[in-house]
């Protein structure tokens, strides 16, 4: 039982590929066992045909990988099988430049509007092939027009106007083409109940009252296509109106017969126009059940003596069936209908490619203008379509239309507003996703809708590599001739497995699965990193295609080495059998120790600023006060100037705090005295770090010096004279103070005097104002008494006497 389980596991690994691989390289993931299988996976896949390419433990499918990976794995370019597809143009007749006024007239088959006409494409899976297709509307291109008219009773007045349509329309069409033919057909309805009355009298004359109508019919081909307009007029003039019971008509039956009966209608391989004229709706597939007709329309011609004879037998065609037949026979349809039914036929137009709808007046008087306008609309648009595509083949279009307008997707199939003589082009890409089961060539056809010309595209498929044709059947290189040696590997016969086809699927011995796949007689089969197939370890494949198991017992890999900074081998080496092989200038188990010292150089050019050692490209600071990548940062240290101030002062001026210990503490630099600051080194003149300092001593005198390290020698340039401030001048100071006091006193007196004057003036003004406002009583003194008294004697004649 255990043997069966091991055998199933081994066979599963060979037939299905690695169970652990879910993503990664599509080439490796495919587990291709031959070159032919490999090139079907993707365009980017190649097969290494070098017989000695595989290392111990690698499976045959490891030969299939993307091209860059094969090169990195040292497969010679000449040994990589990577067949490419191609395009061959078999027929490339130029488009025709034709004009109406040229004396020589060309036959329709001599006119070319599409180029090229035939191509052969060689397709490889996943590799699209793109070619250019050119279309040009030829001038004076022949036209066949068939006028299909509803002859139910409601169209009686329309028939009168159509009787002269032949000559009138031919005259109008001369402005478009000199080769024009016209035909005529009519339709009414199926000749069964409930569409018509089947009483004998109504079968003879379906109209009521005194109206003289012809017997009802489904479809009649009155006149096949002809260039004689008078003949059209004569035959149409002889037509009579008929009648039916329901409103929708059997026009779809008539359209189907017009499309498929090419010989009876007289269609040529030119522009084919079908004008469908009616004032009613239409019956379609399924409506025939009302008359007991259940057989679907067969889409075949059933005209006998120009009459449709199977209307009572076959149902109406479906819209999809009509679309197919109209497209197959390159017929462009113009629906000339009354305004009442415009919405219905506009919806129908959206379902039928290369069709148009025109509004027919109540008596069809505008039919010629309607036809001309509809033809111009249809002919100004080109729409490409293709036939059925083989399984796994896709096609995409890109249009380059008038004025350089581009279209993609569904719009890439068509160009609009094309005038006669305009040329447009299309880029067509065809891609195969797989090789067809039979491997035989396929043919597809591409054509513009409504035109008879087409492009034939032959598809050849690359299903195997070129080296496969040079294979050695029953080769001695394969175990006992149990395979074909091709493309550097054995392609096993049916029922055989193994790298050299050394095992039969039905006969696998226990020792093949165990003993030969255990390292050092251990218990692990293939180090638990592979499957034992026929006594040989085939290592598992990882989710990441760059990660590989290898070795006779799959004991090695290239992804389990030491890491640094989350990078395998620190990003400075490669992993081989779980050990890092470091690049130059790197060492360590994870290649994380750089031997370069450039990263340790401080700004002064010293390694680690002279205060540490460089280990693996990183400074190890020996002085605990210093830190940083180059030991230049000292948060607790004073500045360079403050650090060396006392030593410079004691050596240059024999002063300062270190005056007594100067020789012991300050002999670490070379002192150079200069006369003035101009003689000191300048920053722009030096190729080494330089610091300019300005410091003050205890006597408030300034001294200037520079500190630099040149070639490991500390240099100090100092100005030999101190810059001390001069003492104050007492006399000017005292004079200034006295003068200031006097001036301030005078200023205060002047201010006081000014304020007093202002105050006096205000008081005087106030007095003057009160004086002017005073009022005195000048009539007398109230305490004054006059010395004169007057008395009057009443008895003396009223005369008074004075005393």
């Amino acid at each position: 039982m255990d043997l069966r389980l091991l055998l199933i596991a081994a066979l599963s690994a060979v037939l299905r590929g690695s169970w652990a691989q879910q993503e990664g390289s599509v080439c490796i993931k495919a587990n291709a066992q031959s070159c032919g299988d490999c090139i079907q996976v993707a365009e980017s896949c190649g097969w290494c045909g070098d017989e000695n390419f595989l290392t111990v433990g690698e499976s045959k499918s490891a030969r299939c990988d993307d091209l860059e990976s094969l090169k990195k794995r040292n497969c010679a370019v000449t040994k990589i099988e990577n067949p490419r597809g191609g395009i061959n143009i078999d027929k490339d007749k130029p488009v025709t430049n034709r004009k109406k006024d040229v004396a020589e007239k060309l036959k329709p088959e001599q006119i070319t509007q599409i180029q090229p006409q035939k191509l052969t494409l060689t397709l490889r899976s996943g590799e699209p092939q793109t070619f250019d297709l050119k279309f040009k509307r030829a001038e004076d291109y022949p036209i066949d027009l068939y006028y299909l008219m509803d002859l139910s009773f409601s169209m009686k007045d329309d028939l009168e106007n159509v009787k002269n349509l032949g000559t009138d329309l031919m005259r109008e069409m001369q402005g478009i083409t000199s080769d024009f033919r016209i035909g005529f057909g009519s339709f009414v309805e199926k000749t069964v109940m409930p569409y018509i009355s089947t009483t004998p009298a109504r079968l003879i004359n379906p109209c009521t009252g005194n109206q003289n109508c012809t017997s009802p019919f489904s479809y009649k081909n009155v006149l096949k296509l002809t260039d004689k307009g008078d003949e059209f007029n004569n035959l149409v003039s002889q037509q009579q109106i008929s009648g039916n019971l329901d409103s929708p008509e059997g026009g779809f039956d008539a359209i189907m017969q017009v499309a498929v009966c090419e010989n009876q209608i007289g269609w040529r391989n030119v522009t084919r126009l079908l004008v469908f004229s009616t004032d009613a709706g239409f019956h379609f597939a399924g409506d025939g059940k009302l008359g007991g007709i259940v057989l679907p329309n067969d889409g075949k011609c059933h005209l006998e003596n120009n009459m449709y004879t199977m209307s009572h037998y076959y149902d109406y065609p479906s819209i999809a069936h009509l679309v197919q037949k109209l497209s197959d026979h390159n017929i462009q349809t113009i629906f000339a209908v009354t305004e009442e039914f415009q919405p219905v036929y506009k919806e129908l137009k959206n379902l039928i490619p290369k069709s148009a709808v025109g509004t027919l007046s109540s008596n069809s008087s505008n039919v010629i203008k309607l036809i001309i306008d509809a033809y111009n609309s249809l002919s100004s648009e080109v729409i490409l379509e293709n036939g059925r595509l083989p399984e796994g083949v896709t096609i995409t279009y890109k249009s380059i239309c008038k004025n350089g307008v581009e279209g993609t997707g569904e719009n890439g199939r068509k160009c609009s507003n094309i005038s006669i003589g305009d040329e447009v082009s299309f880029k067509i890409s065809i891609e195969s996703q797989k090789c067809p089961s039979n491997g035989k060539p396929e043919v597809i056809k591409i054509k513009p809708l409504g035109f008879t010309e087409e492009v034939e595209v032959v598809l050849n498929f690359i299903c195997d590599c070129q080296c496969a044709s040079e294979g050695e059947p029953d080769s001695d290189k394969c175990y006992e001739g149990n395979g074909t040696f091709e493309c550097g590997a054995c392609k096993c016969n049916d029922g055989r497995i193994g790298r050299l086809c050394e095992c039969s699927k039905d006969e696998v011995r226990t020792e093949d699965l165990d003993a030969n796949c255990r390292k050092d007689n251990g218990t692990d089969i293939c180090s638990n990193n592979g499957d034992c197939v026929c006594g040989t370890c085939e290592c598992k494949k990882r989710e990441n295609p760059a990660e590989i198991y290898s070795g006779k017992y799959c004991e090695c890999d290239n992804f389990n080495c030491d890491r640094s900074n989350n990078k395998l081998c620190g990003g400075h080496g490669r992993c081989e059998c779980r050990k890092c092989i470091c690049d130059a200038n790197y060492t360590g188990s994870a290649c994380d120790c750089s031997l370069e010292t450039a990263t340790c150089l401080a700004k002064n050019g010293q390694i680690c600023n002279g205060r540490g050692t460089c280990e693996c490209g990183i400074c190890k600071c020996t002085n605990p006060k210093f830190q940083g990548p180059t030991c230049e940062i000292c948060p607790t240290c004073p500045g360079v100037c403050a650090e060396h101030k006392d030593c410079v002062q004691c050596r240059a001026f024999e002063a300062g705090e270190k005056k007594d210990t100067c020789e012991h503490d300050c002999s670490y630099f070379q002192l150079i005295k200069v006369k003035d600051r101009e003689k000191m080194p300048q920053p722009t003149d030096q190729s080494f770090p330089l610091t300019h300092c300005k410091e003050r001593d205890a006597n408030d005198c300034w001294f200037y010096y520079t500190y630099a390290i040149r070639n490991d020698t500390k240099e100090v340039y100092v100005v030999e004279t101190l810059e001390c401030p001069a003492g104050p001048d007492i006399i000017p100071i005292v004079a200034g103070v006295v003068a200031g006091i006097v001036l301030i006193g005078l200023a205060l007196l002047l201010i006081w005097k000014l304020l007093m004057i202002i105050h006096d003036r205000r008081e005087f003004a106030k007095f003057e104002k009160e004086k002017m406002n005073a009022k005195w009583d000048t009539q007398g003194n109230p305490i004054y008494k006059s010395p004169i008294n007057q008395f009057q004697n009443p008895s003396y004649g009223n005369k008074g006497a004075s005393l």
Side-chain angles (χ1 to χ4, degrees):
M1 187 66 181
D2 292 338
L3 175 61
R4 288 179 176 274
L5 293 175
L6 291 173
L7 178 59
I8 291 172
L11 294 179
S12 298
V14 175
L15 298 176
R16 295 193 309 270
S18 174
W19 62 270
Q21 187 171 6
Q22 301 298 325
E23 297 179 352
S25 169
V26 293
C27 308
I28 294 179
K29 184 178 178 181
N31 198 35
Q33 296 297 309
S34 67
C35 186
D37 293 340
C38 179
I39 63 173
Q40 299 303 316
V41 177
E43 176 191 3
S44 59
C45 296
W47 176 273
C48 185
D50 186 352
E51 184 177 348
N52 301 316
F53 173 68
L54 297 180
T55 59
V56 176
E58 284 189 295
S59 64
K60 192 192 312 181
S61 62
R63 293 180 177 274
C64 182
D65 206 342
D66 62 86
L67 303 181
E68 290 301 319
S69 296
L70 290 176
K71 293 176 184 177
K72 290 179 181 178
R73 292 168 60 192
N74 299 321
C75 182
V77 176
T78 56
K79 292 291 186 178
I80 297 177
E81 291 291 329
N82 183 34
R84 314 308 295 180
I87 299 176
N88 185 53
I89 299 178
D90 303 319
K91 187 176 181 182
D92 194 28
K93 184 179 178 182
V95 292
T96 303
N97 293 315
R98 185 191 187 202
K99 297 183 178 179
K100 289 194 300 181
D101 52 0
V102 177
E104 180 184 2
K105 297 297 180 182
L106 299 177
K107 296 180 180 179
E109 57 271 17
Q110 295 176 308
I111 300 174
T112 303
Q113 297 185 106
I114 194 167
Q115 180 187 0
Q117 294 79 40
K118 185 177 181 181
L119 306 93
T120 299
L121 271 59
T122 303
L123 298 179
R124 176 184 167 176
S125 295
E127 180 188 20
Q129 296 297 328
T130 303
F131 61 92
D132 292 328
L133 186 147
K134 185 190 301 181
F135 178 85
K136 181 178 182 180
R137 278 190 63 191
E139 295 189 35
D140 198 26
Y141 195 72
I143 298 174
D144 284 353
L145 185 146
Y146 191 84
Y147 195 91
L148 182 60
M149 185 174 181
D150 176 8
L151 285 188
S152 59
F153 187 77
S154 59
M155 294 287 286
K156 181 178 181 181
D157 53 347
D158 299 81
L159 180 61
E160 294 299 322
N161 286 314
V162 175
K163 290 180 178 179
N164 295 322
L165 179 65
T167 53
D168 293 344
L169 186 57
M170 280 203 160
R171 183 169 54 254
E172 291 292 332
M173 293 298 289
Q174 287 298 319
I176 298 175
T177 177
S178 60
D179 189 354
F180 177 73
R181 298 199 309 170
I182 189 171
F184 184 82
S186 58
F187 67 91
V188 181
E189 187 54 276
K190 288 184 180 295
T191 55
V192 295
M193 281 287 290
Y195 311 109
I196 66 168
S197 175
T198 55
T199 60
R202 293 300 183 195
L203 287 175
I204 298 173
N205 183 3
C207 299
T208 59
N210 298 324
Q211 301 293 335
N212 185 21
C213 299
T214 188
S215 299
F217 58 91
S218 177
Y219 163 66
K220 181 194 302 183
N221 178 29
V222 177
L223 175 66
K224 68 185 300 184
L225 292 163
T226 178
D227 57 0
K228 298 178 175 61
D230 293 338
E231 185 179 354
F232 180 94
N233 293 348
N234 292 335
L235 286 176
V236 173
S237 299
Q238 299 173 15
Q239 302 305 305
Q240 286 183 294
I241 292 296
S242 185
N244 60 320
L245 296 180
D246 62 342
S247 176
E249 314 294 2
F252 277 15
D253 274 341
I255 293 176
M256 177 62 76
Q257 294 303 303
V258 172
V260 299
C261 298
E262 288 195 346
N263 293 331
Q264 290 88 333
I265 303 299
W267 291 115
R268 298 177 296 171
N269 286 331
V270 297
T271 298
R272 298 176 176 181
L273 299 178
L274 170 61
V275 179
F276 182 84
S277 176
T278 184
D279 64 348
F282 49 83
H283 285 295
F284 53 89
D287 289 353
K289 292 181 181 180
L290 296 173
I293 303 173
V294 295
L295 285 179
N297 194 289
D298 64 351
K300 295 181 180 179
C301 182
H302 297 287
L303 290 185
E304 294 182 10
N305 297 323
N306 289 322
M307 296 289 292
Y308 179 39
T309 59
M310 302 297 286
S311 68
H312 64 287
Y313 192 76
Y314 289 115
D315 193 5
Y316 302 98
S318 66
I319 296 176
H321 200 180
L322 275 184
V323 170
Q324 177 191 350
K325 292 301 181 180
L326 290 171
S327 176
D328 290 345
H329 296 274
N330 305 306
I331 296 174
Q332 304 176 62
T333 310
I334 301 172
F335 295 105
V337 298
T338 56
E339 187 172 358
E340 178 185 357
F341 288 93
Q342 280 285 308
V344 175
Y345 282 91
K346 283 184 178 179
E347 290 296 327
L348 181 61
K349 166 191 172 296
N350 295 332
L351 300 175
I352 301 179
K354 293 294 281 185
S355 62
V357 177
T359 303
L360 191 67
S361 62
S362 58
N363 58 3
S364 297
S365 59
N366 67 332
V367 66
I368 293 180
K369 182 178 184 305
L370 186 152
I371 293 172
I372 298 295
D373 291 344
Y375 169 75
N376 289 332
S377 174
L378 290 173
S379 61
S380 66
E381 182 177 54
V382 57
I383 302 175
L384 295 184
E385 69 165 1
N386 52 267
R388 186 191 64 84
L389 295 174
E391 185 180 0
V393 175
T394 59
I395 185 169
T396 58
Y397 296 86
K398 178 183 178 181
S399 59
I400 299 93
C401 304
K402 196 173 180 180
N403 300 322
V405 177
E406 296 185 356
T408 56
E410 284 303 310
N411 291 329
R413 291 175 173 266
K414 61 184 179 181
C415 282
S416 302
N417 300 321
I418 303 174
S419 303
I420 293 176
D422 286 345
E423 183 175 293
V424 296
S425 61
F426 298 85
K427 286 189 177 295
I428 303 176
S429 294
I430 299 179
E431 182 178 353
S432 173
Q433 299 299 329
K434 64 178 183 179
C435 193
S437 55
N438 56 14
K440 295 181 180 179
E442 299 277 356
V443 177
I444 62 173
K445 303 223 175 143
I446 302 172
K447 67 176 183 178
L449 282 173
F451 295 86
T452 57
E453 297 177 65
E454 61 186 14
V455 179
E456 181 180 338
V457 182
V458 180
L459 305 180
N460 292 324
F461 299 90
I462 301 177
C463 297
D464 212 337
C465 300
Q466 180 63 34
C467 59
S469 61
E470 303 170 0
E472 303 174 18
D474 304 325
S475 173
D476 293 338
K477 295 180 180 180
C478 304
Y479 183 78
E480 295 183 356
N482 287 316
T484 301
F485 188 80
E486 61 180 43
C487 304
C490 285
K491 186 176 182 180
C492 299
N493 297 336
D494 291 341
R496 304 296 297 187
I497 58 174
R499 189 163 160 179
L500 298 176
C501 311
E502 64 270 30
C503 290
S504 169
K505 293 180 182 179
D506 302 323
E507 300 175 358
V508 181
R509 294 169 298 173
T510 304
E511 54 268 24
D512 290 333
L513 292 171
D514 291 338
N516 294 333
C517 294
R518 291 192 177 102
K519 183 181 180 181
D520 300 330
N521 292 324
T523 58
D524 294 335
I525 295 177
C526 299
S527 306
N528 288 329
N529 295 322
D531 299 300
C532 188
V533 180
C534 301
T536 303
C537 284
E538 290 196 356
C539 302
K540 296 176 182 178
K541 296 171 185 175
R542 299 272 296 175
E543 182 178 342
N544 183 350
E547 298 178 353
I548 300 173
Y549 288 113
S550 59
K552 181 178 180 180
Y553 302 101
C554 303
E555 73 277 14
C556 295
D557 62 61
N558 65 348
F559 55 87
N560 271 325
C561 292
D562 291 342
R563 294 176 178 266
S564 178
N565 293 329
N566 202 30
K567 293 182 180 178
L568 191 67
C569 297
H572 303 297
R574 65 185 184 278
C575 182
E576 292 185 2
C577 205
R578 302 186 177 182
K579 290 185 180 180
C580 284
I581 307 298
C582 299
D583 298 337
N585 294 324
Y586 285 93
T587 186
S589 62
C591 301
D592 54 349
C593 185
S594 173
L595 301 179
E596 292 285 344
T597 59
T599 56
C600 294
L601 289 178
K603 294 180 180 178
N604 57 16
Q606 290 183 300
I607 293 178
C608 299
N609 196 28
R611 294 182 173 86
T613 58
C614 186
E615 298 178 8
C616 298
I618 300 175
C619 283
K620 303 293 184 181
C621 301
T622 55
N623 190 331
K625 294 193 301 180
F626 289 87
Q627 56 185 263
T630 54
C631 301
E632 292 181 280
I633 300 173
C634 182
T636 61
C637 294
V640 173
C641 295
E643 181 183 0
H644 303 290
K645 169 187 173 183
D646 293 337
C647 284
V648 173
Q649 189 178 6
C650 78
R651 289 189 60 181
F653 306 106
E654 298 181 357
E657 296 180 0
K658 293 187 178 182
K659 178 181 178 181
D660 298 332
T661 60
C662 193
E663 292 184 3
H664 181 267
D665 297 337
C666 302
S667 59
Y668 60 87
F669 61 84
Q670 179 182 354
L671 183 69
I672 304 168
K673 293 184 178 182
V674 295
K675 290 184 178 182
D676 52 46
R677 280 185 285 174
E678 285 73 16
K679 300 295 179 61
M680 296 171 67
Q682 301 300 317
T684 56
D685 301 333
Q686 306 303 318
S687 59
F688 49 86
L690 179 69
T691 304
H692 277 253
C693 299
K694 177 184 178 182
E695 295 293 335
R696 185 164 56 184
D697 62 12
N699 298 321
D700 288 336
C701 293
W702 296 95
F703 60 95
Y704 299 87
Y705 69 93
T706 63
Y707 179 85
I709 300 176
R710 176 163 49 181
N711 299 329
D712 296 332
T713 301
K714 300 176 176 65
E715 295 181 346
V716 174
Y717 283 77
V718 62
V719 179
E720 60 185 10
T721 57
L722 295 170
E723 189 178 283
C724 298
D729 194 348
I730 301 300
I731 295 174
I733 293 174
V734 173
V737 171
V738 173
I741 293 172
V742 172
L743 290 175
I744 291 173
L746 290 175
L748 291 174
L749 287 173
L750 289 174
I751 292 172
W752 176 82
K753 182 62 177 175
L754 179 61
L755 292 176
M756 291 303 293
I757 291 172
I758 293 173
H759 179 266
D760 290 345
R761 288 184 178 180
R762 286 181 177 176
E763 290 296 323
F764 180 76
K766 182 178 180 182
F767 169 76
E768 287 292 329
K769 183 177 180 181
E770 290 179 353
K771 180 181 177 181
M772 292 178 66
N773 292 334
K775 294 182 180 180
W776 302 96
D777 188 4
T778 58
Q779 293 182 1
N781 191 344
I783 64 175
Y784 173 77
K785 292 185 178 182
S786 175
I788 301 172
N789 290 323
Q790 262 183 350
F791 297 96
Q792 184 176 1
N793 190 351
S795 61
Y796 179 79
N798 293 329
K799 292 183 180 179
S802 300
L803 294 182

